[in-house]
Amino acid sequence: MSWHEGPGLGPDAEAFRGQVCGWLTDSLAPARTAAHADPRDRTGLDEQFERRLQRAAGARGWLGISVPTELGGGGRPASFAAVFDYEAAYHDAPLVDTALTLAGPPVLAFASPDQRDRLVGPMLRGEIEMCIAYSEPGAGNDLASLTSTALALPGGGYRLSGHKTLVTGGGKADVCLTVARTNPAVPARRGVSMFLVDTALPGVTLVPRRTMAGYDLWDVLFDDVELPADALLGTRDDGWRQLSYAVERERTGMFSLGWCQRLFDEVHRYLATPVDGETPACVGTPACVGAPADVGTPADGHRPLDDLRLADGLAAQWTQLRDARHAAARLIREELAGQRSGASASAAKVLLTEYAQRLAQFATEAAGPAGTIGGTLFGPAAPGAPAAGRFAFEYLFRFDGTVSVGANELHRDGIAASALGLRAPRPSAEARQPDRVPTRPGPAAQRPGAGSLGDAGAPGDAPTLRAPIRELLGSWRLGRLAGVQSTSRGYDERLWSALLREAWPAAAATSDAWLTTARVVAEELGYARCPLPVHSGLAQVDAALWALGDAGAKHREELRRGTTRYALCAHDGLGSPAWERAGVIARAAPDGSWRLSGRARFVPYADSADVFLLPARLTTGPGRRGLLLAAVPATAAGLRLTTHRTLSEDHLGDVDLAEVVLRPDQVLAQDDTGGRDSDRAGDRNGGDDGDGGGDGAASRALAAALAMGTMALSAELTGLAAGLLRAAIDHARARTAFGQPLAAFQAVRHRAADMYLDVLCARDATAAACDVLTTTAPEPLDDHARAVVAAAKVTATAAALRAATGAHQLCGGWGHLDDAGLHHYTRAVKAAEGQLGSPSFHRATIAHHLRGCHPAPAPR
Ligand SMILES: Cc1cc2nc3c(=O)[nH]c(=O)nc-3n(C[C@H](O)[C@H](O)[C@H](O)COP(=O)(O)OP(=O)(O)OC[C@H]3O[C@@H](n4cnc5c(N)ncnc54)[C@H](O)[C@@H]3O)c2cc1C
């Protein structure tokens, strides 16, 4: 059993934690869970497994370990329940949302003796499943806007009607704890009551709503449900006070801490594990583009953590994890001392949920493109995915923490008020009479892909270019995404042909317009989240073929005519494009042909390419090195494709080659520098030559492709950021909470404004990259120009990632649903982050430039 750090709540609690950890390690061993995986359930496991495990925990007396003995519990201090929760989360055990954790506090506090007899025993023994259904389509954070009613019946009992939404585990609950208005004539705070509803009663309907992470939340519809009198929990019309009590105790931070520690340990393990044979996905040297080679070529046994940039990142995560742990532990200590404060609970919630998002971002970034290969917690591991696909899974999963159990904005308000005495002014009387009509914006899928945000323009922008592209994309809807993705190409072929036929050639007359076209097209595609292989199959390929001159002319013509589809194998799974460590090797055959063997990794839309532009390392003689750029038909004997199920939905694939025969006419360029491998050692430390990939035609073509692709990808990221901002603004305008549109809250406006500033920066940085390419290409870029292109990718990636977090935050629980469509953007952003060089790779390029140039003298 591997031992992991705990919350540090004293030796007794630690000893208990050891027992729980041992039991859970055994109970959740792969052999036990394998047959019970259920990705549609938030726990990842089926109901049968969950119920069995809960009963087993109950039989040990652990579910209610800290419940007072007079109520039937174990009577141990709160630190025992805390470490149990922590271990449950750490092990992904379906013991997080139990009847006791969800509904325990209000039931234990307010139930009548009869209700206690009926419920508390089964809750402690793990014999029933419960759900809590508070939220409604028009009432989330602002629960006082709820419209469900429970009208008293003359003979006793109530008639319950209403629509609850986003309910965790609704489909398997035996009993549902809910709130409804019992006195609609008075403000909600004085006229709601809590009810325990048997879900088998006539009139209760449960409807699954798929979330972006693949599991279901539930709509619970109450259609004139006749409740017996003893369904009322606590005091009639006193439900608001009970609700506040319940929500405040719904969860301690210990579950979040357990999840964070587990993910941290998984990332740590991944980065600390030596990689044999194959270069780790997260390590790369930007040899071809001439940026610094300050990470040595990893020999077998190299650990990703030996890369100082990754080590620094992990150290930062470790520090933040400790901060979060202290906050969670402080809350438990306060509870032990009977001094639990709202501010501490809010602080733990904010720190832990926001840290969980940052950690998931780090995990996926550190693992490179492989980190975006998705998995489920208990299903079969996705081939090639680090930590069995957990990183990609957690990236999507952790968006909800900052939204649920009170949005973090409200917790910040609470901290300001209770810890700092900074209270918001009371809303006006008008605002206290909220519009009770539930409001939801139309699904993103129905909104047009283009809008005013795309108009903000950048220096050198050509408005006349945007118009035809907008027109072309005018009919594109997110709703079509699933349709086109199920086709063999994975994108809209008619749109692709139209783009090649109309937008691209129109701009091709001059190189200036061509580059700007690439930027504008890519940005608009991002904005509409329309999948087309523009940066990989068009911009990069076009740039490489252009740089090759006559050697590339025939292919360039075919590319632009649309008769042949190309993909540039740019990545090689290095987390950065590094041709000199290309995974494919070219061996000269006696008849003048070549044999290609190896693997090119993470090629966007590999499955739709007719021809691969493929860099391969030459083995022309002992100790010699060189680079070859080949045009390899997808149908070549010995070539095999594997498409990954990644977050991006953009068909990232591996191209495996086994002794593929390459005719001399399929070689587009060949750089045989004649240098010995050992000569490269000097380059690595100094990096002064600025061109680690050599200056032959193949290297130049690949460098041009990389620069052009990076610029186009940065533009796409800019468009994705703008699309996310658009969705957030639409929602903030349309959604009413606390009697006003979300947009009326300063926190919301500031967040949107920050997202806007990010979009502007990204667009300007990308335009600047486009400018340097325009003045230089197809000639090789100097260090400054490379740094400018790298800066575009860094800025646009950061903007898009922040936009994703911001949009999910502002769109609340609705944004979490699959049919809201927001996640198509979020996925694309994460995938683009790792393509054509991670942010740290590009920062290294910038650092190389700064090392090589002299700072301006200090002014006198
Ligand atoms: C995974 C998941 C599980 C859930 N499980 C349950 C469950 O079991 N039972 C249940 O009843 N509900 C559940 N919910 C619903 C959850 O409680 C709501 O999503 C949450 O209360 C927020 O409400 P909302 O989504 O309507 O967002 P809104 O209230 O519309 O808020 C959206 C965003 O607007 C901003 N905002 C709102 N009000 C303010 C303000 N006053 N000041 C500043 N900014 C503000 C915030 O950014 C907020 O995130 C779940 C949700 C998720 C995502």
Side-chain angles (χ1 to χ4, degrees):
M1 182 182 77
S2 68
W3 190 238
H4 48 274
E5 197 168 355
L9 293 171
D12 291 351
E14 272 299 291
F16 174 59
R17 188 168 78 85
Q19 287 178 46
V20 177
C21 180
W23 178 67
L24 288 177
T25 304
D26 180 45
S27 304
L28 290 145
R32 294 186 195 275
T33 56
H36 294 279
D38 180 4
R40 296 298 294 266
D41 193 282
R42 188 164 154 84
T43 65
L45 289 163
D46 64 22
E47 191 181 329
Q48 187 196 8
F49 188 96
E50 175 172 352
R51 286 188 185 260
R52 205 168 52 215
L53 193 76
Q54 291 193 4
R55 276 199 302 272
R60 289 176 143 74
W62 288 354
L63 287 184
I65 185 82
S66 298
V67 170
T69 42
E70 58 274 23
L71 292 171
R76 308 307 302 269
S79 50
F80 280 63
V83 297
F84 181 79
D85 293 352
Y86 172 85
E87 287 299 320
Y90 189 91
H91 289 272
D92 304 312
L95 296 171
V96 172
D97 290 330
T98 64
L100 200 67
T101 55
L102 293 171
V107 168
L108 294 174
F110 306 117
S112 65
D114 272 0
Q115 286 170 329
R116 274 193 198 154
D117 287 349
R118 216 172 56 228
L119 283 176
V120 175
M123 285 167 110
L124 294 172
R125 292 193 297 273
E127 290 169 359
I128 53 167
E129 296 268 6
M130 290 183 72
C131 65
I132 47 172
Y134 304 147
S135 306
E136 296 184 1
N141 284 298
D142 176 20
L143 270 179
S145 287
L146 62 89
T147 55
S148 296
T149 53
L151 301 179
L153 298 172
Y158 298 85
R159 178 173 293 122
L160 176 67
S161 301
H163 179 175
K164 299 290 175 179
T165 192
L166 301 167
V167 176
T168 304
K172 62 192 172 196
D174 305 301
V175 178
C176 168
L177 176 67
T178 193
V179 277
R181 286 177 157 273
T182 30
N183 186 350
V186 297
R189 286 160 205 255
R190 283 190 275 131
V192 295
S193 305
M194 273 190 152
F195 293 94
L196 293 159
V197 181
D198 181 343
T199 54
L201 282 176
V204 179
T205 310
L206 296 154
V207 183
R209 302 284 306 273
R210 186 79 159 258
T211 64
M212 64 175 179
Y215 64 86
D216 291 328
L217 293 176
W218 296 77
D219 276 7
V220 184
L221 308 175
F222 299 124
D223 187 12
D224 286 341
V225 182
E226 297 219 352
L227 299 179
D230 68 353
L232 177 74
L233 178 68
T235 309
R236 182 167 156 184
D237 292 346
D238 195 28
W240 191 260
R241 188 180 62 84
Q242 295 176 200
L243 187 64
S244 308
Y245 176 89
V247 170
E248 220 235 297
R249 281 159 187 77
E250 197 177 303
R251 276 186 185 165
T252 69
M254 282 299 151
F255 290 123
S256 295
L257 184 62
W259 287 321
C260 290
Q261 182 71 51
R262 173 65 181 269
L263 179 57
F264 180 88
D265 287 352
E266 295 279 1
V267 187
H268 188 185
R269 191 171 17 255
Y270 171 71
L271 295 179
T273 303
V275 182
D276 294 325
E278 196 171 333
T279 309
C282 49
V283 178
T285 55
C288 183
V289 281
D294 44 10
V295 181
T297 300
D300 283 1
H302 175 97
R303 305 177 324 152
L305 208 46
D306 297 335
D307 177 341
L308 285 182
R309 285 169 284 170
L310 288 174
D312 182 54
L314 191 67
Q317 295 298 324
W318 186 80
T319 312
Q320 293 171 40
L321 175 59
R322 297 194 69 76
D323 296 341
R325 174 183 294 119
H326 296 150
R330 184 184 316 113
L331 189 60
I332 303 299
R333 288 206 188 88
E334 283 184 7
E335 193 155 326
L336 289 170
Q339 296 169 344
R340 184 180 158 120
S341 78
S344 295
S346 288
K349 198 269 179 178
V350 169
L351 287 169
L352 280 156
T353 54
E354 292 180 5
Y355 171 64
Q357 286 178 356
R358 286 196 299 275
L359 179 60
Q361 296 272 13
F362 174 76
T364 35
E365 181 188 343
T372 68
I373 302 176
T376 54
L377 285 182
F378 295 99
R390 178 182 287 268
F391 298 164
F393 176 81
E394 295 255 4
Y395 169 71
L396 290 179
F397 209 76
R398 297 294 160 221
F399 278 112
D400 81 306
T402 54
V403 166
S404 326
V405 200
N408 282 11
E409 289 87 345
L410 275 82
H411 285 284
R412 284 191 162 86
D413 276 348
I415 293 167
S418 65
L420 308 174
L422 299 172
R423 286 180 197 285
R426 279 175 62 76
S428 65
E430 202 179 327
R432 287 202 298 273
Q433 291 299 320
D435 168 12
R436 303 252 176 246
V437 181
T439 50
R440 286 281 185 215
Q446 285 160 26
R447 285 196 291 273
S452 61
L453 278 170
D455 292 333
D461 204 354
T464 48
L465 269 180
R466 270 191 207 274
I469 295 157
R470 285 259 168 97
E471 205 175 315
L472 210 59
L473 291 177
S475 61
W476 173 255
R477 297 284 183 280
L478 267 188
R480 276 166 53 193
L481 196 59
V484 299
Q485 280 178 337
S486 61
T487 63
S488 60
R489 297 252 186 229
Y491 53 82
D492 190 327
E493 294 210 50
R494 281 188 307 141
L495 203 55
W496 179 247
S497 306
L499 183 73
L500 287 170
R501 210 173 44 242
E502 291 163 29
W504 210 259
T510 68
S511 61
D512 294 17
W514 170 57
L515 288 154
T516 310
T517 301
R519 177 171 69 75
V520 174
V521 167
E523 188 184 322
E524 289 292 324
L525 288 175
Y527 188 59
R529 182 54 196 115
C530 172
L532 285 180
V534 161
H535 87 264
S536 55
L538 190 51
Q540 276 193 297
V541 175
D542 212 351
L545 296 171
W546 184 28
L548 286 170
D550 288 348
K554 179 178 88 60
H555 287 291
R556 198 171 186 222
E557 207 184 304
E558 286 188 28
L559 169 80
R560 287 176 170 233
R561 270 210 314 268
T563 42
T564 307
R565 302 190 196 212
Y566 294 82
L568 188 92
C569 301
H571 211 291
D572 274 326
L574 303 175
S576 56
W579 325 112
E580 75 165 11
R581 290 208 318 280
V584 178
I585 291 179
R587 204 165 37 77
D591 63 357
S593 65
W594 296 86
R595 300 287 183 276
L596 298 180
S597 295
R599 171 182 285 183
R601 303 206 65 194
F602 303 114
V603 181
Y605 294 108
D607 51 355
S608 72
D610 304 312
V611 173
F612 294 105
L613 289 196
L614 200 128
R617 277 183 287 151
L618 287 177
T619 52
T620 50
R624 294 173 72 87
R625 66 185 179 83
L627 186 69
L628 174 148
L629 182 60
V632 183
T635 51
L639 187 150
R640 195 170 54 88
L641 288 179
T642 318
T643 302
H644 296 293
R645 200 165 48 84
T646 64
L647 281 175
S648 83
E649 308 168 316
D650 285 347
H651 291 220
L652 280 192
D654 289 349
V655 184
D656 282 294
L657 302 105
E659 291 289 303
V660 170
V661 178
L662 192 69
R663 295 191 315 266
D665 64 310
Q666 291 170 326
V667 176
L668 299 176
Q670 181 182 331
D671 308 346
D672 184 359
T673 59
R676 287 180 169 276
D677 285 343
S678 54
D679 295 345
R680 303 291 300 156
D683 298 351
R684 299 213 164 279
N685 297 326
D688 283 338
D689 66 356
D691 188 4
D695 57 2
S699 299
R700 276 207 313 275
L702 289 167
L706 176 62
M708 179 71 177
T710 303
M711 189 278 290
L713 191 57
S714 306
E716 193 170 335
L717 279 158
T718 306
L720 289 167
L724 286 157
L725 175 55
R726 167 92 281 147
I729 292 171
D730 286 353
H731 189 81
R733 284 203 182 114
R735 170 82 168 159
T736 302
F738 303 97
Q740 46 192 343
L742 291 180
F745 295 108
Q746 196 175 51
V748 169
R749 291 202 307 277
H750 282 192
R751 185 110 189 204
D754 284 343
M755 289 160 74
Y756 180 68
L757 297 181
D758 275 337
V759 171
L760 287 189
C761 290
R763 185 175 288 137
D764 288 349
T766 306
C770 191
D771 281 351
V772 298
L773 288 174
T774 303
T775 45
T776 319
E779 296 308 315
L781 303 183
D782 63 17
D783 277 356
H784 174 261
R786 287 188 194 108
V788 171
V789 174
K793 179 83 192 314
V794 171
T795 301
T797 304
L801 286 169
R802 278 197 291 263
T805 320
H808 275 283
Q809 186 64 21
L810 299 189
C811 290
W814 171 78
H816 214 67
L817 294 175
D818 182 37
D819 56 15
L822 201 61
H823 68 99
H824 295 301
Y825 286 84
T826 314
R827 289 167 180 275
V829 166
K830 184 37 89 175
E833 175 192 41
Q835 283 171 20
L836 296 180
S838 64
S840 79
F841 163 83
H842 287 291
R843 282 197 296 274
T845 303
I846 297 166
H848 173 73
H849 163 61
L850 295 175
R851 273 203 296 272
C853 65
H854 297 288
R860 297 181 69 92

